[in-house]
Amino acid sequence: MNQDTRLQFFQCHRAANAPQSLPPDAGILGMSSLQQPATSHAWPVQQVRVPLLGSSAPQLHEYWFSAASCRRGRVGDVHFSASDELLFGVIELPETHGSDTGTALQLAAERAYRQLFSLLEAEGFPHLWRVWNYVPRINEIEHGLERYRQFNIGRHEAFADFARPVNSSPAACALGVVDGPLSIAFLAARQAPLCIENPRQTSAFSYPRQYGPRSPTFTRAAVAHSGGLPILFISGTASIIGHDTVHIGDVVAQTRETVANIGVLVEQANLAAPGSGFTLAELDYRVYIRHAADYPAVRNTLQQLLGPDIRAVYVQADVCRSDLLVEIEAHGLPQQP
Ligand code: 3EB
């Protein structure tokens, strides 16, 4: 296998005036820019408008790249970049109008996912590995339905129209931002990932109706292979057992339960992809905290459970159930040279 084409990850805290060592431009699939919007680039950028916690840097940039060079394009509202093996894209859509068939957010979600799936079909990258969804005012109730649930209806509709089976959904996250457009970034490939579910949790695509008229379409984790090496994507994970939120009001207990859920996903991933040897201590984490004041408690709990040297980025964001105080996502790549 050609290790030079494998997916790689690079994180860079933008300090004012600090010299930066960046991955080579040609190999950059895409980037997410946390906190402050980045200037425009040849590659797709997802602006994640969430405050960083515990960092004085104005921005944090996270790059997905490969040593192989990428070709870039725009189709409709999608900006994408592709290597032979992988495609990364970003689509941002405003909520323009509702209709008899749905709210403005529902229809924006449906349009975004339709564009995304059309592009993947046209470019020949049928398999979604990971999707990052940022939904403005995610917990607000509008037209009698929480906005996250409206988003789920539109997303589900597009999955159905493109005959995408929900039980082979991508790893994903869905978080709330204060404002801005609906923003979706995605990583897709020619090869299918292994979908991993959590035996302690009801699969999200089978959530009962009490969580909304249409279920979310994501898998709890996915293991993919790139350049012959395994990659683990852990979806946004929270303090949910079965389908119930547990430890309501207790951010430390929610953090512990979330880590227990991630621990089970790592075990399941190692069973599904024998020899990959993922460990909790070696993942890269992104931690979403609803109330910024909970940051020290969440950080201390994670450091106790995972060690003082874990790689974690902490941000303030709304989580998609109003009783969840924290959500944690992660990925694991083989150690980079
Ligand atoms: C949960 O377990 C928490 O809608 O894409 C986590 C990851 C959550 C992804 C999504 C939602 C999503 O239900 C919320």
Short mmCIF file of all heavy atoms in Angstrom, two decimals, residues 218-275:
data_model
loop_
_atom_site.label_atom_id
_atom_site.label_comp_id
_atom_site.label_asym_id
_atom_site.label_seq_id
_atom_site.Cartn_x
_atom_site.Cartn_y
_atom_site.Cartn_z
N PHE A 218 -26.57 8.78 11.70
CA PHE A 218 -25.13 8.67 11.91
C PHE A 218 -24.82 7.36 12.62
O PHE A 218 -25.70 6.77 13.26
CB PHE A 218 -24.57 9.87 12.69
CG PHE A 218 -24.96 9.93 14.15
CD1 PHE A 218 -24.13 9.41 15.13
CD2 PHE A 218 -26.15 10.52 14.55
CE1 PHE A 218 -24.47 9.49 16.48
CE2 PHE A 218 -26.51 10.60 15.90
CZ PHE A 218 -25.66 10.08 16.87
N THR A 219 -23.63 6.89 12.45
CA THR A 219 -23.15 5.70 13.14
C THR A 219 -22.25 6.17 14.28
O THR A 219 -21.69 7.27 14.23
CB THR A 219 -22.45 4.75 12.14
OG1 THR A 219 -22.11 3.54 12.79
CG2 THR A 219 -21.19 5.37 11.56
N ARG A 220 -22.14 5.38 15.34
CA ARG A 220 -21.41 5.84 16.54
C ARG A 220 -19.92 6.03 16.31
O ARG A 220 -19.27 6.85 16.96
CB ARG A 220 -21.63 4.86 17.70
CG ARG A 220 -23.08 4.71 18.12
CD ARG A 220 -23.59 5.98 18.76
NE ARG A 220 -25.00 5.84 19.15
CZ ARG A 220 -25.72 6.85 19.61
NH1 ARG A 220 -25.19 8.06 19.74
NH2 ARG A 220 -26.98 6.67 19.94
N ALA A 221 -19.36 5.22 15.39
CA ALA A 221 -17.95 5.37 15.04
C ALA A 221 -17.72 4.68 13.71
O ALA A 221 -18.56 3.89 13.27
CB ALA A 221 -17.05 4.75 16.13
N ALA A 222 -16.61 4.98 13.06
CA ALA A 222 -16.28 4.33 11.80
C ALA A 222 -14.78 4.09 11.75
O ALA A 222 -14.00 4.94 12.20
CB ALA A 222 -16.73 5.20 10.62
N VAL A 223 -14.41 2.93 11.22
CA VAL A 223 -13.00 2.65 10.96
C VAL A 223 -12.83 2.59 9.45
O VAL A 223 -13.55 1.86 8.77
CB VAL A 223 -12.54 1.31 11.56
CG1 VAL A 223 -11.06 1.06 11.23
CG2 VAL A 223 -12.74 1.28 13.07
N ALA A 224 -11.90 3.37 8.95
CA ALA A 224 -11.62 3.38 7.52
C ALA A 224 -10.14 3.06 7.32
O ALA A 224 -9.36 3.06 8.28
CB ALA A 224 -11.95 4.74 6.95
N HIS A 225 -9.78 2.77 6.09
CA HIS A 225 -8.37 2.53 5.79
C HIS A 225 -7.91 3.50 4.73
O HIS A 225 -8.61 3.76 3.76
CB HIS A 225 -8.14 1.08 5.35
CG HIS A 225 -8.20 0.13 6.51
ND1 HIS A 225 -9.39 -0.35 6.99
CD2 HIS A 225 -7.22 -0.36 7.31
CE1 HIS A 225 -9.15 -1.12 8.05
NE2 HIS A 225 -7.84 -1.15 8.26
N SER A 226 -6.73 4.04 4.94
CA SER A 226 -6.16 4.99 3.99
C SER A 226 -4.67 4.72 3.90
O SER A 226 -3.99 4.67 4.94
CB SER A 226 -6.45 6.41 4.49
OG SER A 226 -5.70 7.33 3.77
N GLY A 227 -4.20 4.52 2.69
CA GLY A 227 -2.79 4.19 2.52
C GLY A 227 -2.39 2.95 3.31
O GLY A 227 -1.27 2.83 3.77
N GLY A 228 -3.35 2.03 3.48
CA GLY A 228 -3.06 0.79 4.18
C GLY A 228 -3.14 0.89 5.69
O GLY A 228 -2.98 -0.11 6.39
N LEU A 229 -3.39 2.08 6.22
CA LEU A 229 -3.43 2.25 7.68
C LEU A 229 -4.84 2.58 8.14
O LEU A 229 -5.60 3.26 7.44
CB LEU A 229 -2.49 3.39 8.09
CG LEU A 229 -1.01 3.11 7.80
CD1 LEU A 229 -0.19 4.38 8.00
CD2 LEU A 229 -0.49 1.99 8.68
N PRO A 230 -5.20 2.09 9.34
CA PRO A 230 -6.55 2.33 9.81
C PRO A 230 -6.72 3.72 10.44
O PRO A 230 -5.78 4.26 11.02
CB PRO A 230 -6.74 1.25 10.89
CG PRO A 230 -5.36 1.00 11.41
CD PRO A 230 -4.41 1.27 10.27
N ILE A 231 -7.90 4.26 10.30
CA ILE A 231 -8.27 5.54 10.92
C ILE A 231 -9.59 5.31 11.64
O ILE A 231 -10.49 4.70 11.08
CB ILE A 231 -8.55 6.61 9.85
CG1 ILE A 231 -7.34 6.81 8.98
CG2 ILE A 231 -8.95 7.94 10.48
CD1 ILE A 231 -7.69 7.68 7.81
N LEU A 232 -9.66 5.86 12.84
CA LEU A 232 -10.89 5.73 13.62
C LEU A 232 -11.55 7.09 13.76
O LEU A 232 -10.89 8.07 14.14
CB LEU A 232 -10.55 5.17 15.00
CG LEU A 232 -11.68 5.16 16.04
CD1 LEU A 232 -12.84 4.28 15.61
CD2 LEU A 232 -11.13 4.69 17.39
N PHE A 233 -12.83 7.16 13.43
CA PHE A 233 -13.61 8.37 13.68
C PHE A 233 -14.64 8.05 14.76
O PHE A 233 -15.46 7.14 14.57
CB PHE A 233 -14.36 8.81 12.42
CG PHE A 233 -13.45 9.23 11.30
CD1 PHE A 233 -13.16 8.37 10.25
CD2 PHE A 233 -12.87 10.49 11.30
CE1 PHE A 233 -12.31 8.75 9.22
CE2 PHE A 233 -12.02 10.89 10.28
CZ PHE A 233 -11.73 10.02 9.23
N ILE A 234 -14.59 8.77 15.87
CA ILE A 234 -15.60 8.64 16.93
C ILE A 234 -16.58 9.79 16.75
O ILE A 234 -16.18 10.96 16.81
CB ILE A 234 -14.95 8.74 18.33
CG1 ILE A 234 -13.86 7.67 18.54
CG2 ILE A 234 -16.02 8.72 19.43
CD1 ILE A 234 -14.33 6.34 19.03
N SER A 235 -17.83 9.46 16.53
CA SER A 235 -18.87 10.50 16.39
C SER A 235 -19.03 11.28 17.68
O SER A 235 -18.58 10.83 18.75
CB SER A 235 -20.21 9.83 16.08
OG SER A 235 -20.20 9.25 14.81
N GLY A 236 -19.71 12.40 17.59
CA GLY A 236 -20.08 13.12 18.79
C GLY A 236 -20.71 12.15 19.77
O GLY A 236 -21.62 11.41 19.40
N THR A 237 -20.19 12.09 20.99
CA THR A 237 -20.62 11.09 21.98
C THR A 237 -21.01 11.82 23.25
O THR A 237 -20.35 12.78 23.64
CB THR A 237 -19.47 10.09 22.24
OG1 THR A 237 -19.07 9.52 20.99
CG2 THR A 237 -19.87 8.98 23.20
N ALA A 238 -22.08 11.35 23.87
CA ALA A 238 -22.59 12.07 25.04
C ALA A 238 -23.01 11.08 26.11
O ALA A 238 -22.83 9.87 25.98
CB ALA A 238 -23.75 12.97 24.62
N SER A 239 -23.58 11.65 27.17
CA SER A 239 -23.99 10.87 28.33
C SER A 239 -25.37 10.27 28.07
O SER A 239 -26.37 10.68 28.66
CB SER A 239 -24.00 11.80 29.55
OG SER A 239 -24.38 11.09 30.70
N ILE A 240 -25.39 9.31 27.16
CA ILE A 240 -26.63 8.64 26.78
C ILE A 240 -26.45 7.15 26.98
O ILE A 240 -25.43 6.58 26.55
CB ILE A 240 -27.00 8.96 25.31
CG1 ILE A 240 -27.30 10.47 25.15
CG2 ILE A 240 -28.19 8.12 24.85
CD1 ILE A 240 -27.52 10.93 23.71
N ILE A 241 -27.41 6.54 27.66
CA ILE A 241 -27.43 5.09 27.83
C ILE A 241 -28.77 4.62 27.27
O ILE A 241 -29.81 5.20 27.61
CB ILE A 241 -27.30 4.68 29.32
CG1 ILE A 241 -25.95 5.15 29.90
CG2 ILE A 241 -27.45 3.18 29.49
CD1 ILE A 241 -24.72 4.46 29.32
N GLY A 242 -28.74 3.55 26.45
CA GLY A 242 -29.95 3.22 25.70
C GLY A 242 -30.22 4.43 24.82
O GLY A 242 -29.36 4.82 24.03
N HIS A 243 -31.40 5.03 24.99
CA HIS A 243 -31.61 6.31 24.29
C HIS A 243 -31.83 7.45 25.28
O HIS A 243 -32.19 8.55 24.88
CB HIS A 243 -32.76 6.20 23.28
CG HIS A 243 -34.04 5.69 23.87
ND1 HIS A 243 -34.82 6.44 24.71
CD2 HIS A 243 -34.65 4.48 23.76
CE1 HIS A 243 -35.87 5.73 25.09
NE2 HIS A 243 -35.78 4.52 24.53
N ASP A 244 -31.62 7.16 26.58
CA ASP A 244 -31.90 8.18 27.60
C ASP A 244 -30.66 8.98 27.97
O ASP A 244 -29.59 8.41 28.16
CB ASP A 244 -32.39 7.50 28.90
CG ASP A 244 -33.71 6.80 28.71
OD1 ASP A 244 -34.63 7.41 28.13
OD2 ASP A 244 -33.81 5.62 29.14
N THR A 245 -30.86 10.28 28.14
CA THR A 245 -29.81 11.11 28.74
C THR A 245 -29.69 10.69 30.21
O THR A 245 -30.71 10.56 30.89
CB THR A 245 -30.17 12.60 28.67
OG1 THR A 245 -30.35 12.95 27.31
CG2 THR A 245 -29.09 13.46 29.31
N VAL A 246 -28.46 10.47 30.67
CA VAL A 246 -28.27 10.14 32.09
C VAL A 246 -27.41 11.23 32.74
O VAL A 246 -26.68 11.95 32.06
CB VAL A 246 -27.66 8.73 32.29
CG1 VAL A 246 -28.64 7.66 31.80
CG2 VAL A 246 -26.32 8.59 31.57
N HIS A 247 -27.51 11.33 34.08
CA HIS A 247 -26.79 12.33 34.88
C HIS A 247 -27.20 13.77 34.51
O HIS A 247 -26.34 14.65 34.33
CB HIS A 247 -25.26 12.18 34.73
CG HIS A 247 -24.78 10.78 34.81
ND1 HIS A 247 -24.95 10.00 35.94
CD2 HIS A 247 -24.14 9.99 33.90
CE1 HIS A 247 -24.42 8.79 35.72
NE2 HIS A 247 -23.93 8.76 34.49
N ILE A 248 -28.49 13.98 34.41
CA ILE A 248 -28.98 15.33 34.08
C ILE A 248 -28.52 16.32 35.15
O ILE A 248 -28.62 16.04 36.35
CB ILE A 248 -30.51 15.30 33.92
CG1 ILE A 248 -30.84 14.53 32.63
CG2 ILE A 248 -31.11 16.72 33.88
CD1 ILE A 248 -32.30 14.30 32.36
N GLY A 249 -27.92 17.43 34.71
CA GLY A 249 -27.48 18.47 35.63
C GLY A 249 -26.11 18.26 36.23
O GLY A 249 -25.62 19.13 36.96
N ASP A 250 -25.44 17.13 35.96
CA ASP A 250 -24.14 16.83 36.58
C ASP A 250 -23.07 16.69 35.49
O ASP A 250 -22.90 15.64 34.88
CB ASP A 250 -24.28 15.53 37.39
CG ASP A 250 -22.99 15.17 38.14
OD1 ASP A 250 -21.91 15.69 37.78
OD2 ASP A 250 -23.08 14.33 39.06
N VAL A 251 -22.34 17.78 35.27
CA VAL A 251 -21.42 17.80 34.12
C VAL A 251 -20.26 16.82 34.29
O VAL A 251 -19.78 16.23 33.32
CB VAL A 251 -20.93 19.24 33.83
CG1 VAL A 251 -19.90 19.70 34.84
CG2 VAL A 251 -20.36 19.34 32.41
N VAL A 252 -19.80 16.61 35.54
CA VAL A 252 -18.69 15.68 35.76
C VAL A 252 -19.14 14.25 35.47
O VAL A 252 -18.46 13.49 34.75
CB VAL A 252 -18.11 15.83 37.19
CG1 VAL A 252 -17.15 14.68 37.51
CG2 VAL A 252 -17.39 17.18 37.32
N ALA A 253 -20.31 13.88 35.98
CA ALA A 253 -20.82 12.52 35.72
C ALA A 253 -21.11 12.34 34.22
O ALA A 253 -20.86 11.26 33.67
CB ALA A 253 -22.07 12.27 36.56
N GLN A 254 -21.59 13.38 33.56
CA GLN A 254 -21.83 13.27 32.11
C GLN A 254 -20.51 13.06 31.37
O GLN A 254 -20.44 12.28 30.41
CB GLN A 254 -22.54 14.52 31.57
CG GLN A 254 -24.01 14.60 31.97
CD GLN A 254 -24.82 15.54 31.06
OE1 GLN A 254 -24.36 16.01 30.03
NE2 GLN A 254 -26.05 15.81 31.48
N THR A 255 -19.47 13.75 31.81
CA THR A 255 -18.16 13.59 31.16
C THR A 255 -17.65 12.17 31.34
O THR A 255 -17.15 11.54 30.40
CB THR A 255 -17.17 14.62 31.73
OG1 THR A 255 -17.72 15.93 31.59
CG2 THR A 255 -15.82 14.56 31.01
N ARG A 256 -17.79 11.64 32.57
CA ARG A 256 -17.33 10.26 32.83
C ARG A 256 -18.11 9.25 31.98
O ARG A 256 -17.52 8.33 31.41
CB ARG A 256 -17.52 9.91 34.31
CG ARG A 256 -16.59 10.70 35.23
CD ARG A 256 -16.82 10.32 36.70
NE ARG A 256 -15.72 10.82 37.49
CZ ARG A 256 -14.56 10.17 37.65
NH1 ARG A 256 -14.39 8.97 37.11
NH2 ARG A 256 -13.58 10.71 38.33
N GLU A 257 -19.42 9.44 31.90
CA GLU A 257 -20.24 8.49 31.11
C GLU A 257 -19.87 8.58 29.63
O GLU A 257 -19.82 7.57 28.91
CB GLU A 257 -21.72 8.81 31.30
CG GLU A 257 -22.65 7.67 30.97
CD GLU A 257 -22.55 6.54 31.99
OE1 GLU A 257 -23.00 6.72 33.15
OE2 GLU A 257 -22.02 5.48 31.61
N THR A 258 -19.58 9.78 29.17
CA THR A 258 -19.19 9.97 27.76
C THR A 258 -17.89 9.24 27.48
O THR A 258 -17.75 8.56 26.46
CB THR A 258 -19.07 11.48 27.47
OG1 THR A 258 -20.34 12.09 27.73
CG2 THR A 258 -18.65 11.74 26.04
N VAL A 259 -16.93 9.37 28.40
CA VAL A 259 -15.65 8.68 28.21
C VAL A 259 -15.86 7.16 28.25
O VAL A 259 -15.25 6.42 27.46
CB VAL A 259 -14.60 9.14 29.26
CG1 VAL A 259 -13.35 8.26 29.19
CG2 VAL A 259 -14.25 10.60 29.04
N ALA A 260 -16.75 6.70 29.12
CA ALA A 260 -17.05 5.26 29.14
C ALA A 260 -17.62 4.82 27.79
O ALA A 260 -17.24 3.77 27.25
CB ALA A 260 -18.03 4.94 30.27
N ASN A 261 -18.50 5.64 27.22
CA ASN A 261 -19.04 5.30 25.89
C ASN A 261 -17.95 5.28 24.82
O ASN A 261 -17.92 4.40 23.97
CB ASN A 261 -20.15 6.30 25.50
CG ASN A 261 -21.49 5.93 26.10
OD1 ASN A 261 -21.81 4.74 26.28
ND2 ASN A 261 -22.30 6.93 26.44
N ILE A 262 -17.05 6.25 24.87
CA ILE A 262 -15.96 6.28 23.88
C ILE A 262 -15.05 5.06 24.09
O ILE A 262 -14.60 4.45 23.12
CB ILE A 262 -15.18 7.61 23.95
CG1 ILE A 262 -16.12 8.77 23.56
CG2 ILE A 262 -13.95 7.58 23.04
CD1 ILE A 262 -15.50 10.15 23.73
N GLY A 263 -14.83 4.69 25.35
CA GLY A 263 -14.01 3.50 25.63
C GLY A 263 -14.60 2.26 24.99
O GLY A 263 -13.88 1.44 24.40
N VAL A 264 -15.91 2.12 25.06
CA VAL A 264 -16.57 0.96 24.44
C VAL A 264 -16.43 1.03 22.92
O VAL A 264 -16.18 0.01 22.27
CB VAL A 264 -18.06 0.91 24.87
CG1 VAL A 264 -18.83 -0.10 24.04
CG2 VAL A 264 -18.16 0.58 26.35
N LEU A 265 -16.53 2.21 22.36
CA LEU A 265 -16.37 2.34 20.90
C LEU A 265 -14.97 1.96 20.46
O LEU A 265 -14.78 1.32 19.41
CB LEU A 265 -16.72 3.76 20.44
CG LEU A 265 -18.21 4.11 20.56
CD1 LEU A 265 -18.44 5.60 20.32
CD2 LEU A 265 -19.03 3.27 19.57
N VAL A 266 -13.97 2.34 21.26
CA VAL A 266 -12.59 1.98 20.93
C VAL A 266 -12.43 0.46 20.97
O VAL A 266 -11.83 -0.14 20.06
CB VAL A 266 -11.59 2.70 21.87
CG1 VAL A 266 -10.18 2.14 21.74
CG2 VAL A 266 -11.59 4.21 21.59
N GLU A 267 -13.01 -0.16 21.99
CA GLU A 267 -12.97 -1.64 22.07
C GLU A 267 -13.64 -2.27 20.86
O GLU A 267 -13.10 -3.21 20.27
CB GLU A 267 -13.81 -2.10 23.28
CG GLU A 267 -13.07 -2.32 24.56
CD GLU A 267 -14.11 -2.58 25.69
OE1 GLU A 267 -15.17 -3.23 25.45
OE2 GLU A 267 -13.83 -2.08 26.78
N GLN A 268 -14.81 -1.76 20.50
CA GLN A 268 -15.55 -2.31 19.36
C GLN A 268 -14.76 -2.11 18.06
O GLN A 268 -14.76 -2.97 17.19
CB GLN A 268 -16.92 -1.63 19.23
CG GLN A 268 -17.86 -1.88 20.39
CD GLN A 268 -18.33 -3.33 20.45
OE1 GLN A 268 -18.78 -3.89 19.46
NE2 GLN A 268 -18.19 -3.95 21.60
N ALA A 269 -14.10 -0.98 17.94
CA ALA A 269 -13.29 -0.71 16.74
C ALA A 269 -12.13 -1.70 16.65
O ALA A 269 -11.82 -2.21 15.58
CB ALA A 269 -12.78 0.73 16.76
N ASN A 270 -11.50 -1.97 17.79
CA ASN A 270 -10.38 -2.92 17.77
C ASN A 270 -10.84 -4.34 17.46
O ASN A 270 -10.10 -5.11 16.86
CB ASN A 270 -9.62 -2.87 19.11
CG ASN A 270 -8.81 -1.59 19.25
OD1 ASN A 270 -8.32 -1.03 18.25
ND2 ASN A 270 -8.65 -1.10 20.47
N LEU A 271 -12.08 -4.66 17.84
CA LEU A 271 -12.63 -5.98 17.49
C LEU A 271 -12.95 -6.03 16.00
O LEU A 271 -12.69 -7.03 15.33
CB LEU A 271 -13.92 -6.25 18.27
CG LEU A 271 -13.76 -6.54 19.76
CD1 LEU A 271 -15.14 -6.60 20.44
CD2 LEU A 271 -13.02 -7.86 19.95
N ALA A 272 -13.50 -4.95 15.46
CA ALA A 272 -13.91 -4.93 14.05
C ALA A 272 -12.70 -4.86 13.12
O ALA A 272 -12.75 -5.37 12.01
CB ALA A 272 -14.83 -3.74 13.80
N ALA A 273 -11.64 -4.20 13.57
CA ALA A 273 -10.43 -4.05 12.75
C ALA A 273 -9.24 -4.57 13.56
O ALA A 273 -8.46 -3.79 14.10
CB ALA A 273 -10.24 -2.59 12.35
N PRO A 274 -9.12 -5.90 13.63
CA PRO A 274 -8.09 -6.49 14.50
C PRO A 274 -6.71 -5.98 14.13
O PRO A 274 -6.41 -5.78 12.95
CB PRO A 274 -8.21 -7.99 14.24
CG PRO A 274 -9.54 -8.20 13.60
CD PRO A 274 -9.88 -6.91 12.89
N GLY A 275 -5.92 -5.73 15.14
CA GLY A 275 -4.55 -5.28 14.88
C GLY A 275 -4.43 -3.77 14.78
O GLY A 275 -3.31 -3.25 14.69
#
